[in-house]
Amino acid sequence: MYDVIVVGARCAGASLAMLLARAGHRVALVDRASFPSDTMSTHFLWQRGAARLQAWGLLDPLQERGCVPIRTITFDVGPVRLCGIGPPVGGVSDTYCPRRTVLDALLVKAAAESGAELVDGFVVDGVVWSEGCVVGVEGHSRGSAGTTLRARVVVGADGLHSTVARATGARSYQEHPALTGVIYSYWSGLSGLGASFHARPDRLILIWPTNDDLTCIYVAWPHKGFRQVRKNVEAEFHAALDLVPGLSEAVASGQREQRFVGTDDLPNLYRTSVGPGWALAGDAGHHKDPSTGMGMSDAFASAELLAEAIGEGLVGQRPIDGALSDYQNKRDALTANGYALTLSTAQLAPLTPRLEAFYRAAADQPEVIRRIFGVIGGSLPIGELLEDGA
Ligand SMILES: Cc1cc2nc3c(=O)[nH]c(=O)nc-3n(C[C@H](O)[C@H](O)[C@H](O)COP(=O)(O)OP(=O)(O)OC[C@H]3O[C@@H](n4cnc5c(N)ncnc54)[C@H](O)[C@@H]3O)c2cc1C
């Protein structure tokens, strides 16, 4: 019998298991995958996400695995380019772009070293109920008979298509349909490109230097036209790069090292994330378009909030139901700004004259640029820019 079973061992689940184990709880960390392994995601980790890693003692180990700090980002909206970075968060001034093979393996290792029991290669098929309360999970390893694991709390940190959410009947709210479809790949020989964000009408192009001297290039198209893009991925991808002066030529000087991958399965939603004996963390409880690169940072934040709530309940500091409800409210409040910004960014709308004037005026004001990056990264509310004319 565990105190907590965490299903899903990446940004949300491994962090949560680590924090609970460090607090002395008996934790099983379960994933159908084994680690290191990749997942569908790019890499941008804003300062607020990196600040969580710093607080947990994992930022230095991440850098030791070849993940370099990013000190300047280019924000290019066509007629105007701003270069800078947001204000520090929790003493962390830089952003990072770790490969998920590296980041997730580091988190899983930290969870195991903190005392969580890793059960990898184990598929959770459903939850176990007793008297209206979730008391465990049932699942199977490859080629073996089904197994039941029991715990006082089961957490679904199992991503957008969460089995725990489905099994508990967690309902969606604040739901918006997918707005984009995206494709990305990795190039060697492009380290000079740096980190940049290029917005054009109906296109978003993101460029991130990541581990192993590779550069990830990501293009987003409107969801409604994405089926056409899928028919001719390479040509559509390069046509998007042509929208940014000099980019196609720069990319041609490098070498693509991996196949293109992509998805348009990018709904925007919250889910009821607590119930008797269960909770949801990370994408399982709140999913949004990746265009603002906030999913990992939000997953860390939700893991930290949930660890605190479960911990209070487990040690009897307060009834666990109340602690879990507070978790959902705090998570929603913490992510509200980023959700609104993401829904707006993912429209891939043309630049309005008012915003263009605002960015032009900001171009020679480093303090305003800092605040713009703070808002884009989700560490400052959008209201911070209103007095500047945004
Ligand atoms: C194309 C793309 C680009 C992105 N780019 C960025 C970015 O630049 N920056 C950023 O911050 N975010 C980005 N995101 C979002 C980010 O990937 C997610 O927000 C983040 O991975 C959420 O972490 P998680 O731990 O909640 O879930 P996940 O990373 O989805 O992990 C869920 C885990 O649960 C396991 N699992 C699922 N079902 C079961 C089951 N039944 N039994 C056992 N295990 C199970 C899976 O194997 C998986 O390991 C991007 C997403 C996409 C799709």
Side-chain angles (χ1 to χ4, degrees), residues 99-261:
R99 275 304 283 263
R100 294 296 298 266
T101 44
V102 173
L103 175 65
D104 296 355
L106 180 70
L107 293 166
V108 167
K109 180 167 178 280
E113 286 175 354
S114 303
E117 193 177 316
L118 177 64
V119 186
D120 58 355
F122 185 89
V123 180
V124 169
D125 299 311
V127 298
V128 180
W129 295 91
S130 174
E131 297 175 2
C133 187
V134 171
V135 294
V137 298
E138 48 195 15
H140 65 278
S141 304
R142 187 188 296 240
S144 71
T147 308
T148 298
L149 304 174
R150 290 183 180 271
R152 292 172 66 189
V153 182
V154 170
V155 176
D158 47 348
L160 171 61
H161 298 293
S162 168
T163 299
V164 176
R166 196 171 54 245
T168 54
R171 287 193 309 118
S172 306
Y173 57 97
Q174 289 199 53
E175 205 168 348
H176 301 265
L179 293 166
T180 70
V182 309
I183 289 174
Y184 63 93
S185 187
Y186 298 87
W187 278 257
S188 59
L190 300 184
S191 52
L193 279 183
S196 52
F197 174 111
H198 307 270
R200 297 291 184 272
D202 285 343
R203 300 288 182 276
L204 179 65
I205 300 144
L206 306 178
I207 302 178
W208 309 123
T210 186
N211 291 81
D212 303 323
D213 291 324
L214 293 177
T215 297
C216 177
I217 307 183
Y218 164 117
V219 177
W221 292 260
H223 190 267
K224 61 178 173 344
F226 193 64
R227 193 176 291 180
Q228 278 304 114
V229 173
R230 278 199 185 279
K231 288 183 182 157
N232 201 353
V233 167
E234 187 148 11
E236 293 283 354
F237 196 92
H238 286 284
L241 303 189
D242 284 342
L243 298 172
V244 180
L247 184 56
S248 290
E249 295 75 5
V251 171
S253 70
Q255 170 78 33
R256 181 157 62 84
E257 300 290 353
Q258 295 188 23
R259 68 191 176 88
F260 286 107
V261 289

Side-chain angles (χ1 to χ4, degrees), residues 8 10-12 31-32 41-44 100 124 163 283 293 295-296:
R10 295 192 187 268
C11 293
D31 203 301
R32 64 185 172 204
S41 178
T42 54
H43 314 293
F44 201 57
R100 294 296 298 266
V124 169
T163 299
D283 275 10
M296 295 189 287

Side-chain angles (χ1 to χ4, degrees), residues 337 371 375 380-388:
N337 263 304
R371 289 209 293 276
V375 168
L380 294 178
I382 190 128
E384 283 284 323
L385 295 176
L386 293 180
E387 67 191 46
D388 299 307

